Amino acid sequence: MDGILVTEIAETDPRGLPWGKVVQIAICKVDTETGFYETVLSESIKEDPLDLGKKSLDHLSDTYGINAETLYMGSEVDDVVDRVIDAVAGAECISFNVSTFGAYLCYEPWNLNGLVTLYPSMSRFLPAPAVALEDENVDPLRKAYDIMCPGDIAGVGEGKGAFERAQMSASVLSALIRAGLF
C-alpha cells in the first residue's frame, strides 16, 4: 500500500522540548489512492506521574484524557523510539499540525531528522468551514474531524489521546484525498 504516515502525539507541555516530553505516540498509514487507513503503531511511554508534576498531569488529563495509570502502564521510551523509527524510516509523514515534529520528534530521543519526508500541516489543506477560529475555544483537530467526517466514522467517540488523534487525522486526510484537496 502506497501511503502517507499520519503521526500524532500526546505531550506534557505544548511548548516542546525542554519543557515537556512525549507520553503517547500513534501512527496510521493512509493509502493515497483509496483513502483507507490502518493503525501502524500506538504506544504509551512509561512515566512516573510524580516526576512530571501537577501542571503536566493537569495538561495530560485536560488535553488528552491521560491519567496516572496510563503513564505507569506504558513502555520504556527507548523501546518506543526504536519501534517508531522502524515504522517511519524512509516514509512520507504528516500530522494535523506538524509543529509536533519541530517541537519534539526532531530531537533526542526521537531524532527523526532526515529519516522522513515531512509534508506541511494537514490543517493547511482544510476547507474554511473545517478550520477552527481562535475565538471558538475548540480542539482544531476535533472540529476538522467533525466537519470532514460526520458521524464519527473512525469510532473515536470522545477519546482524545494520541491513538484517537491519529485516527481522526487519518480520517481527515482520507476525506481531503477524496475531495481532491490533498
Side-chain angles (χ1 to χ4, degrees):
M1 167 168 83
D2 287 334
I4 298 173
L5 297 181
V6 176
T7 305
E8 296 295 340
I9 65 168
E11 33 60 28
T12 61
D13 190 310
R15 296 178 294 173
L17 293 171
W19 300 278
K21 56 177 73 174
V22 174
V23 296
Q24 283 185 343
I25 188 164
I27 302 170
C28 291
K29 185 174 188 176
V30 178
D31 186 308
T32 53
E33 292 184 18
T34 66
F36 292 114
Y37 73 88
E38 64 180 323
T39 302
V40 173
L41 180 136
S42 178
E43 293 282 347
S44 290
I45 297 166
K46 185 176 189 155
E47 288 291 338
D48 187 335
L50 296 175
D51 292 340
L52 295 179
K54 181 175 178 2
K55 184 176 179 182
S56 291
L57 292 173
D58 288 346
H59 171 72
L60 289 172
S61 177
D62 295 344
T63 307
Y64 303 108
I66 297 173
N67 58 29
E69 182 180 352
T70 302
L71 296 169
Y72 280 124
M73 300 296 290
S75 300
E76 296 296 329
V77 67
D78 291 339
D79 295 336
V80 175
V81 168
D82 289 344
R83 287 193 284 277
V84 168
I85 289 172
D86 287 345
V88 303
E92 297 175 326
C93 292
I94 194 168
S95 291
F96 187 76
N97 182 348
V98 296
S99 67
T100 58
F101 276 82
Y104 285 102
L105 300 178
C106 289
Y107 301 102
E108 293 295 335
W110 308 96
N111 202 18
L112 299 182
N113 291 319
L115 292 180
V116 303
T117 300
L118 190 59
Y119 281 96
S121 294
M122 188 185 314
S123 57
R124 292 184 52 190
F125 300 96
L126 294 173
V131 176
L133 303 175
E134 288 184 31
D135 63 346
E136 285 185 291
N137 195 27
V138 296
D139 175 359
L141 173 55
R142 179 62 73 165
K143 178 176 181 179
Y145 174 69
D146 288 345
I147 298 291
M148 300 291 295
C149 310
D152 190 17
I153 62 171
V156 297
E158 296 300 315
K160 49 189 181 174
F163 175 67
E164 292 87 3
R165 294 184 69 76
Q167 289 187 320
M168 286 190 286
S169 289
S171 298
V172 169
L173 181 59
S174 295
L176 290 169
I177 290 169
R178 286 191 305 277
L181 298 172
F182 183 85

